[in-house]
Amino acid sequence: MKKVSKFPKAVTTTSIAMLSTMLLLSACGGGGGGAASEAQSPDGKVTLNFITQSSPLAPADPNDKLINKRLEEKTNVHINWKNYTSDVFAEKRNLAVASGDLPDAIFDAGYGDYDLLKLAKDGAIIPLEDLIEQHMPNLKKVLEEAPEYKSMITAPDGHIYSFPWIEELGSGKQRIQAVDNLPWINVEWLNKLGLKMPTTTEELKEVLIAFKTQDPNGNGKADEIPLSFINKPGGEDLTFLFAAFGLGENWDHTVVTDEGKVVFTAADKGYKEAVQYIHELVKEGLVDVEAYQQDWNTYLAKGKDNKYGMYFTWDKANITGMNDTYDVLPPVAGPSGEANVTRTNGIGLDRGRMVITSSNKNLESTAKWVDQLYDPLQSVQNNWGTYGDETQQNIFEFDEAKGMLKHLPLEGAAPVELRQKTSIAGPLAILDSYYGKYTTKPEDAAWRMELLDKVMVPHMKAENVYPSVFFSIDELDRLSTIETDLFAYVLRMRTEWYQNGKVDQEWDAYLKELDRLGLQEWLQIKQAGYDRNNK
Amino acid sequence: MVVKHTGLDRLILALNAIFLTCAVLVVVVPLVYIVVASFMDPTVLLNRGLSFNVSDWSLDGYQMILSNPAMIRGFANAVLYSVSFALLTVTVSIFAGYALSDERLAGRGFFMIIFIITMFFGGGLIPTYLLVRNLGMLDTVWAIILPGAVNVWNIILSRTFFKGVPRELKEAANVDGASEMKIFFQIVIPLSKPIIFVLALYAFVGQWNSYFDAMIYLDNSNLHPLQLVLRSILIQNQAAPGMISDQLAMAELKRLSEMIKYSAIVISSLPLIIMYPFFQKYFEKGVMVGSLK
Amino acid sequence: MEVKVLDNTMDTQKGTGRALKDRTSVSHRMQQFKKHYFLYMLLAPALILTLIFKYIPMYGAVIAFKDFSPIKGIMGSEWVGLKHFEKFLASPNFDVIFMNTLKLSFFGLIFSFPVPIILALMLNQVRKAGVKKNIQLFLYAPNFISVVVVVGMLFIFLSPTGPINQIATWITGQPIMFMSEPEYFRWIYILSDIWTGAGWASIIYVAALANVDPELHNAANLDGANLIQRIRHIDLPTIRPIMAIVFILAAGGIMSIGFEKAYLMQTSMNLPSSEIIATYVYKVGLQSGDYAYSAAVGLFNSVINVILLVTVNLIVKKLNEGEGLY
């Protein structure tokens, strides 16, 4: 049977042709359609292409939000949004950059410091300080009013590469972020057992023992959990209590002495004593057995059932509700007789909120549009929600006379959903001075800040915190590499010590291991960063 | 003809039955947990454990998922992608596996190595993405089914299977004057129903449960398959960036997300479980036997 | 006792009668090609798709040796040689992480390999088709459950106050901290993997066993063979080729064990066994989409995988009458 011998040859030639075309095609890096818009006159109507992220609850096209519609009218700039849901955004954003399909700008970019510096180094994003100087009076005003932010958003090479998000809720010791893991104690049980609010660590231990043995919930079963927490750095950790023994502990293990020296909390003498104290509590059976592995939902479930004598979280409303069963525990005094509250180093600043790419040919229009976001009334709306919307519930009402936005009562609507549907987030600035002038404070924030001011601030001994330093690329690389192993080791060891109490015996070996994992280098880098920042 | 069992045989068969029953139990208990959990409020669930008391049940989880309009589209998309993917990859694998199983194919080992290399070394996400984009396949169904269509594992499996087809069968047909093509399509394929349906099942299920390719290549959310839609619904109930002042509501959303977790599993597995019996009859005994005769 | 065995394995190729020189010459090969072009056509789709979607992007593998800059593209990025590899190998706990990965995969392979086979053989003995179908359905179902849910359930079932520990506490007075202690991590990981996947993996063996002629069993039975002997001499040889392939391929995947499940199962305490290469790289690279670093680690893993694959293939070939992967 004679088969057509031309056939295989034809196949071979076509395949080779196809393959070579493919090869050429695939090597093409950028330019595939070019997502940045062409140059347009800033005086006419300009169209820009941004990519952004939002919650799946929000409208798929951000231009459907009232705030964006009003912005477009005001600025005569139309934004073409490519909007991704938050779960896929990081990948999509990275791919857009990696494939060379850069849009004009990336809004709500979520870039960390390392990303910003890397992108700047690669030339994917551009420096912004000239644009700010020439076209952005609102942002300039913000930076003049609060100059500490200027140095915070400036990279080590002197350039500003991104537009920040700033949300001040208190400053200095009164910042709302100063303490994240507040302790809440069951005052109902205290009253039932006729006990007073404990003021020292020893009294606290007695109270917890009483919770365990005297059946305060009156059901005849010893099912009370005197103390519970989630063993992970964060708002549910019990490290609030460490402050009773010295410098205390926070989630990045960093405190600064009054002389300006950076200290690693987990190597400090007070830390050792604190861990020993916790072990005593564990030994008495006062600590939730599940603390070392439970997640938020398990923690929440037991909390809702009011099983806890004492627990930790940002705001008791999350777990046991906004009622009087639990109240905040004022800081207790340790063996030294003094109480202390350790501050976290968190502030309401997000550097990499928005970047302008190097493909942008409409810099002036873009800068002017972004500047609108820093207008005080605009910032407030972008962050929380708007007024005067006839189609859905409003977060605010606008007081024309005072030029001020007032929070409206929510009447049961889930605030998060409402905000995600109406606010646009992005770069903005809300300074402390705005409260009472341009806007009222959100209720839950106001409540918490008052609480902190009354109960915690008076006991904060440290004058310094660690500022938001903008490290260099190499420093960031080293820090992240060291921290991966170092922090994990610290957490593991103290968890073991809570249970076996061997902190004294193993302390020296522990310190040696910390050094092996790079502690000294870490301290050096952080100290250098601190000194630079304070010049 | 019934096989006669010795005493030892009976013992072994009895043990067999016991082990299988245990295996089923070990599997079933957690499954029951999932189904019941999908109807329960997670707070109640975590505090009191499973409850078969219907008054403890709620349909919130299902409601949240099924009321989302993207679900129906996601479902339809998933069916389309899974079916087309299964068809394509099984065809490609069976063809290649047969070719590679035939010793008359010159350079068999060479081709095999070409395939195996791709199991270990590859360009990674970025070059593949660039290629797909330059071929104009972004936001199309092709981006989902073409790049992954060649599954070397499947090719190897089918090759192994075809090697087990008796040579005499093919030679006999050859003697009768049948062409290669005829032998393949009319004799070997009908015999290969087990492997074909196994590969089809694996491919369908694999594609049904996947979301990564869709996430990367499909911008248009109308094209998203079920798993991706479910993921968005789940994620929307987790932390949103930078919102300090909404802790209470965030906590509530986290609770819902916990509940949806289980309902999502039930919803996405149900079609597969329903579909499976149709595939199963091809695994039964005696398929090859008939043809030998 | 003689038991007849049907040899289903293909005979190895005998010579065609021509001299070796002739058989390998180009013209001979071209002739073979023309004669069996149908076979080549069958091979073509897979080959073409592979060349396009796997080989063309392969230039990207060099990203492991570069300081990747998205603007410059992969080819334009600066060459840094082995810098990423050095960074990886110099990680302070490298040896622990490496061994964890190896141990987890290796023991996983050893323990989970026989289970689907045994299941298939057991299922094969079930007489009633209806019962068999239902059992199969149950055994396959766990495969559809996402790893997030599986791990969530593990935490619940194994929690200090959970059902298993209620029994343990009753016996020993103390709960066992399953998820906190490093010793348990591997067992829990592997056993839950088996729970999830063994039933599903047994499908391929069940399908293969479907091809066994019941006449063989009858004949053997008449010859006096008991159940175990029949299984050993009829069923096992049928599935042996598949067993070999599955084993070799699994060996070739040992270093690439994925990160999701281990990451979900990690607690502050079990890191000494639960930190594997994939989770560690994920954490270090969490700073940014550090493609180059993860690519370098991936390459490192692949090289080891290839070595394992070739070695195991050789060994299996010796045990399996020369039949291996290639």
Side-chain angles (χ1 to χ4, degrees):
Chain A
M1 279 180 281
K2 210 158 181 238
K3 295 295 168 187
V4 184
S5 54
K6 287 185 230 151
F7 185 43
K9 239 190 241 163
V11 172
T12 350
T13 13
T14 358
S15 326
I16 297 186
M18 260 172 42
L19 285 174
S20 355
T21 340
M22 302 290 191
L23 199 62
L24 284 169
L25 272 182
S26 80
C28 291
S37 53
E38 324 102 46
Q40 303 155 66
S41 158
D43 303 316
K45 176 133 188 167
V46 177
T47 303
L48 298 172
N49 299 329
F50 292 174
I51 66 174
T52 185
Q53 59 173 313
S54 61
S55 136
L57 290 170
D61 183 0
N63 280 330
D64 286 342
K65 291 184 180 167
L66 186 55
I67 295 185
N68 276 328
K69 286 191 188 146
R70 287 178 175 156
L71 265 176
E72 182 168 337
E73 270 177 43
K74 202 161 135 195
T75 59
N76 211 17
V77 173
H78 176 79
I79 311 283
N80 271 334
W81 298 98
K82 235 192 178 159
N83 182 21
Y84 299 110
T85 51
S86 313
D87 54 327
V88 306
F89 177 71
E91 282 288 351
K92 293 285 197 181
R93 177 201 65 188
N94 293 343
L95 270 177
V97 174
S99 62
D101 279 341
L102 294 171
D104 286 312
I106 305 180
F107 190 84
D108 259 342
Y111 276 131
D113 294 348
Y114 189 85
D115 294 319
L116 288 175
L117 294 174
K118 194 104 198 310
L119 289 167
K121 189 167 124 191
D122 296 335
I125 61 179
I126 59 167
L128 305 170
E129 48 300 342
D130 290 335
L131 286 176
I132 298 178
E133 191 56 42
Q134 288 164 25
H135 302 294
M136 301 182 70
N138 285 328
L139 180 53
K140 261 172 73 176
K141 190 147 161 262
V142 169
L143 293 177
E144 273 159 28
E145 216 185 299
E148 62 270 20
Y149 290 111
K150 183 131 195 242
S151 58
M152 281 193 235
I153 62 176
T154 307
D157 64 2
H159 292 294
I160 298 178
Y161 288 111
S162 59
F163 295 116
W165 173 87
I166 300 172
E167 184 192 70
E168 282 189 349
L169 284 162
S171 56
K173 287 185 178 172
Q174 282 131 335
R175 259 184 301 120
I176 199 176
Q177 297 93 344
V179 184
D180 53 352
N181 50 358
L182 288 174
W184 305 94
I185 191 163
N186 193 329
V187 289
E188 214 177 74
W189 291 358
L190 280 178
N191 291 338
K192 186 111 178 281
L193 300 179
L195 296 165
K196 282 201 330 247
M197 190 72 93
T199 57
T200 70
T201 48
E202 285 309 304
E203 282 175 21
L204 179 59
K205 192 158 83 168
E206 300 300 319
V207 164
L208 292 176
I209 293 180
F211 283 164
K212 176 161 181 222
T213 53
Q214 294 176 27
D215 193 27
N217 68 10
N219 65 359
K221 284 190 282 187
D223 60 348
E224 293 83 358
I225 300 177
L227 187 150
S228 188
F229 67 106
I230 297 184
N231 190 33
K232 269 192 204 143
E236 286 70 39
D237 200 357
L238 54 44
T239 49
F240 179 87
L241 296 174
F242 282 34
F245 296 89
L247 296 171
E249 167 76 302
N250 54 27
W251 50 261
D252 57 350
H253 308 293
T254 313
V255 297
V256 182
T257 65
D258 290 346
E259 294 83 35
K261 179 147 167 272
V262 175
V263 176
F264 186 63
T265 53
D268 185 58
K269 193 168 69 86
Y271 180 88
K272 180 157 68 120
E273 286 164 25
V275 171
Q276 189 64 5
Y277 173 71
I278 304 291
H279 170 67
E280 284 168 29
L281 299 181
V282 172
K283 219 165 57 170
E284 300 277 350
L286 304 169
V287 173
D288 189 350
V289 202
E290 292 191 290
Y292 312 112
Q293 62 192 50
Q294 61 187 344
D295 67 346
W296 171 264
N297 282 292
T298 317
Y299 190 62
L300 170 67
K302 292 185 294 204
K304 270 200 161 41
D305 239 18
N306 286 351
K307 286 214 171 87
Y308 299 144
M310 179 172 157
Y311 71 97
F312 301 83
T313 190
W314 175 271
D315 185 336
K316 70 179 177 187
N318 300 351
I319 306 239
T320 50
M322 198 46 116
N323 52 38
D324 291 326
T325 317
Y326 288 83
D327 205 0
V328 74
L329 172 73
V332 291
S336 66
E338 291 192 26
N340 182 20
V341 173
T342 315
R343 288 146 76 192
T344 68
N345 299 314
I347 60 173
L349 168 72
D350 180 18
R351 275 192 197 103
R353 200 36 94 93
M354 180 174 180
V355 294
I356 299 186
T357 70
S358 48
S359 303
N360 186 322
K361 305 182 194 68
N362 293 291
L363 294 175
E364 188 181 324
S365 312
T366 312
K368 285 192 174 149
W369 186 87
V370 176
D371 194 47
Q372 285 308 307
L373 307 175
Y374 286 101
D375 171 85
L377 283 173
Q378 190 68 50
S379 278
V380 170
Q381 289 177 69
N382 290 0
N383 202 32
W384 285 313
T386 188
Y387 64 91
D389 190 339
E390 277 152 39
T391 60
Q392 55 185 340
Q393 190 174 355
N394 286 298
I395 299 269
F396 290 112
E397 63 176 346
F398 187 49
D399 187 333
E400 294 265 2
K402 295 205 188 128
M404 187 166 144
L405 289 163
K406 297 209 175 110
H407 277 91
L408 285 172
L410 287 165
E411 287 158 20
V416 168
E417 271 190 48
L418 195 53
R419 281 176 193 169
Q420 284 176 345
K421 278 192 191 148
T422 56
S423 66
I424 67 169
L428 52 92
I430 298 178
L431 303 175
D432 256 344
S433 55
Y434 291 8
Y435 299 115
K437 189 158 146 208
Y438 298 111
T439 177
T440 52
K441 256 188 216 158
E443 234 183 76
D444 38 0
W447 177 82
R448 195 174 189 273
M449 283 168 71
E450 242 186 78
L451 187 69
L452 283 176
D453 202 29
K454 217 172 55 180
V455 181
M456 300 295 163
V457 170
H459 298 281
M460 292 176 182
K461 291 212 238 166
E463 287 307 314
N464 295 326
V465 280
Y466 195 82
S468 176
V469 173
F470 203 156
F471 289 103
S472 74
I473 268 199
D474 293 321
E475 286 172 332
L476 286 169
D477 195 34
R478 283 310 292 155
L479 283 177
S480 106
T481 310
I482 294 177
E483 284 174 3
T484 305
D485 284 305
L486 186 65
F487 287 8
Y489 178 68
V490 166
L491 183 62
R492 177 162 69 90
M493 288 318 291
R494 78 160 174 244
T495 316
E496 277 180 23
W497 289 331
Y498 289 162
Q499 296 168 66
N500 67 20
K502 294 203 189 137
V503 59
D504 278 317
Q505 294 105 296
E506 296 179 359
W507 188 251
D508 289 329
Y510 166 77
L511 291 178
K512 284 213 184 72
E513 177 72 1
L514 290 179
D515 283 339
R516 184 184 83 89
L517 293 174
L519 176 59
Q520 297 309 319
E521 192 185 338
W522 185 87
L523 281 171
Q524 259 171 32
I525 298 178
K526 293 206 79 162
Q527 185 72 55
Y530 182 80
D531 295 333
R532 265 198 326 254
N533 214 62
N534 280 12
K535 269 210 292 260
Chain B
M1 241 196 296
V2 183
V3 175
K4 258 199 304 210
H5 293 290
T6 67
L8 180 62
D9 285 357
R10 263 189 269 274
L11 176 64
I12 297 195
L13 282 175
L15 283 175
N16 195 37
I18 295 180
F19 277 131
L20 278 178
T21 317
C22 287
V24 170
L25 278 176
V26 166
V27 161
V28 160
V29 167
L31 290 183
V32 168
Y33 183 90
I34 292 181
V35 173
V36 176
S38 68
F39 288 104
M40 287 185 78
D41 183 312
T43 312
V44 176
L45 179 66
L46 288 168
N47 274 331
R48 284 198 277 274
L50 282 193
S51 161
F52 290 93
N53 189 345
V54 188
S55 62
D56 277 339
W57 285 15
S58 102
L59 289 171
D60 283 350
Y62 286 104
Q63 199 188 19
M64 262 210 103
I65 297 184
L66 293 172
S67 61
N68 193 316
M71 284 295 294
I72 310 245
R73 267 199 312 262
F75 198 91
N77 285 331
V79 171
L80 172 65
Y81 300 156
S82 307
V83 169
S84 18
F85 179 75
L87 279 173
L88 182 59
T89 190
V90 172
T91 310
V92 167
S93 309
I94 294 286
F95 282 9
Y98 178 77
L100 289 170
S101 73
D102 193 322
E103 67 231 5
R104 293 165 301 173
L105 187 80
R108 270 188 315 159
F110 169 69
F111 289 121
M112 199 67 238
I113 297 193
I114 291 203
F115 287 125
I116 295 182
I117 290 184
T118 68
M119 282 167 67
F120 297 98
F121 300 105
L125 182 59
I126 298 176
T128 315
Y129 178 82
L130 287 176
L131 178 63
V132 168
R133 186 197 65 178
N134 290 333
L135 287 174
M137 287 182 353
L138 282 183
D139 262 346
T140 68
V141 115
W142 299 109
I144 305 287
I145 65 178
L146 279 183
V150 175
N151 179 319
V152 181
W153 206 82
N154 286 354
I155 296 183
I156 295 179
L157 267 181
S158 47
R159 183 191 71 161
T160 309
F161 185 88
F162 286 124
K163 277 193 183 172
V165 172
R167 228 162 134 219
E168 298 79 40
L169 206 56
K170 298 202 282 187
E171 284 174 359
N174 215 345
V175 161
D176 280 348
S179 71
E180 291 278 354
M181 208 177 343
K182 223 165 144 200
I183 296 180
F184 180 64
F185 283 109
Q186 291 181 354
I187 299 180
V188 180
I189 290 281
L191 285 183
S192 319
K193 289 218 186 88
I195 189 75
I196 292 181
F197 280 92
V198 167
L199 290 183
L201 187 63
Y202 277 174
F204 186 93
V205 172
Q207 186 60 37
W208 183 268
N209 284 335
S210 78
Y211 67 88
F212 190 77
D213 282 354
M215 182 174 94
I216 297 287
Y217 296 121
L218 300 177
D219 267 355
N220 184 348
S221 57
N222 284 333
L223 295 175
H224 284 177
L226 188 63
Q227 288 298 329
L228 203 47
V229 173
L230 283 174
R231 233 174 142 250
S232 308
I233 299 182
L234 262 167
I235 302 273
Q236 87 189 16
N237 294 322
Q238 280 151 35
M243 299 280 195
I244 289 196
S245 11
D246 288 319
Q247 295 285 319
L248 179 59
M250 291 309 289
E252 173 66 13
L253 285 183
K254 278 196 216 181
R255 182 190 76 86
L256 276 178
S257 132
E258 180 72 7
M259 179 179 223
I260 290 177
K261 222 165 63 173
Y262 295 109
S263 321
I265 298 287
V266 174
I267 291 182
S268 66
S269 326
L270 221 44
L272 295 175
I273 299 196
I274 295 180
M275 204 189 67
Y276 174 75
F278 297 117
F279 277 74
Q280 200 176 18
K281 57 182 176 185
Y282 295 101
F283 306 159
E284 257 143 55
K285 282 200 168 104
V287 172
M288 180 160 327
V289 175
S291 63
L292 268 180
K293 308 227 165 84
Chain C
M1 217 172 310
E2 243 206 28
V3 177
K4 288 210 197 81
V5 174
L6 183 71
D7 188 353
N8 274 345
T9 58
M10 195 79 113
D11 296 344
T12 48
Q13 177 175 9
K14 310 245 180 0
T16 58
R18 300 170 91 138
L20 181 66
K21 189 170 67 118
D22 282 347
R23 268 190 273 137
T24 53
S25 74
V26 177
S27 58
H28 180 91
R29 282 197 198 269
M30 287 308 293
Q31 227 179 34
Q32 294 285 56
F33 183 78
K34 280 193 202 153
K35 214 161 61 156
H36 303 295
Y37 85 94
F38 175 68
L39 291 176
Y40 288 96
M41 271 181 53
L42 285 186
L43 189 62
L47 207 54
I48 296 180
L49 282 173
T50 302
L51 287 173
I52 297 180
F53 289 104
K54 300 275 158 77
Y55 277 94
I56 290 184
M58 239 187 229
Y59 71 89
V62 301
I63 198 181
F65 302 99
K66 297 214 166 192
D67 190 10
F68 178 59
S69 150
I71 293 296
K72 301 186 194 145
I74 293 183
M75 299 316 281
S77 294
E78 188 193 326
W79 180 270
V80 290
L82 297 176
K83 180 169 113 174
H84 298 299
F85 294 93
E86 282 163 8
K87 174 174 166 183
F88 177 55
L89 292 171
S91 327
N93 289 322
F94 174 76
D95 41 354
V96 176
I97 297 176
F98 183 82
M99 284 315 288
N100 282 344
T101 311
L102 209 55
K103 280 189 204 166
L104 192 60
S105 278
F106 179 72
F107 289 119
L109 175 58
I110 299 288
F111 287 109
S112 50
F113 178 70
V115 180
I117 299 172
I118 298 176
L119 275 179
L121 290 172
M122 287 207 278
L123 278 170
N124 210 29
Q125 300 305 321
V126 176
R127 294 286 132 214
K128 297 208 193 88
V131 174
K132 182 174 168 185
K133 261 196 194 172
N134 287 327
I135 297 183
Q136 280 178 311
L137 201 56
F138 282 125
L139 290 178
Y140 302 165
N143 187 58
F144 302 134
I145 302 178
S146 79
V147 67
V148 177
V149 173
V150 173
V151 176
M153 289 202 296
L154 282 175
F155 274 104
I156 293 180
F157 285 148
L158 298 174
S159 117
T161 51
I164 311 273
N165 261 321
Q166 278 170 7
I167 303 178
T169 326
W170 182 70
I171 299 180
T172 64
Q174 282 278 10
I176 305 179
M177 308 294 281
F178 287 109
M179 300 307 278
S180 297
E181 283 180 34
E183 300 88 66
Y184 292 109
F185 171 76
R186 252 170 239 132
W187 282 113
I188 301 176
Y189 188 101
I190 295 175
L191 286 175
S192 53
D193 260 1
I194 294 180
W195 179 84
T196 311
W200 189 251
S202 71
I203 294 184
I204 187 77
Y205 295 112
V206 169
L209 285 172
N211 269 345
V212 171
D213 185 352
E215 287 300 319
L216 287 174
H217 276 277
N218 289 336
N221 184 243
L222 283 178
D223 277 351
N226 68 27
L227 190 58
I228 300 288
Q229 284 172 316
R230 278 189 279 128
I231 293 181
R232 243 188 83 208
H233 292 283
I234 304 176
D235 290 341
L236 279 182
T238 315
I239 57 178
R240 195 172 58 187
I242 299 184
M243 280 167 61
I245 296 291
V246 168
F247 189 78
I248 297 176
L249 288 176
I254 277 194
M255 292 304 290
S256 309
I257 192 167
F259 109 101
E260 200 173 1
K261 185 167 180 182
Y263 186 72
L264 289 167
M265 284 176 69
Q266 282 181 347
T267 63
S268 46
M269 303 271 291
N270 64 15
L271 287 176
S273 18
S274 61
E275 189 81 282
I276 58 176
I277 292 182
T279 56
Y280 183 73
V281 171
Y282 174 75
K283 288 180 195 169
V284 171
L286 206 54
Q287 280 266 57
S288 56
D290 202 341
Y291 293 114
Y293 184 68
S294 0
V297 177
L299 196 54
F300 173 80
N301 287 341
S302 293
V303 168
I304 300 188
N305 277 338
V306 170
I307 297 177
L308 283 170
L309 183 88
V310 169
T311 316
V312 173
N313 192 43
L314 281 172
I315 298 177
V316 170
K317 260 193 181 174
K318 288 218 163 68
L319 300 170
N320 194 30
E321 297 163 13
E323 283 298 317
L325 197 56
Y326 54 81

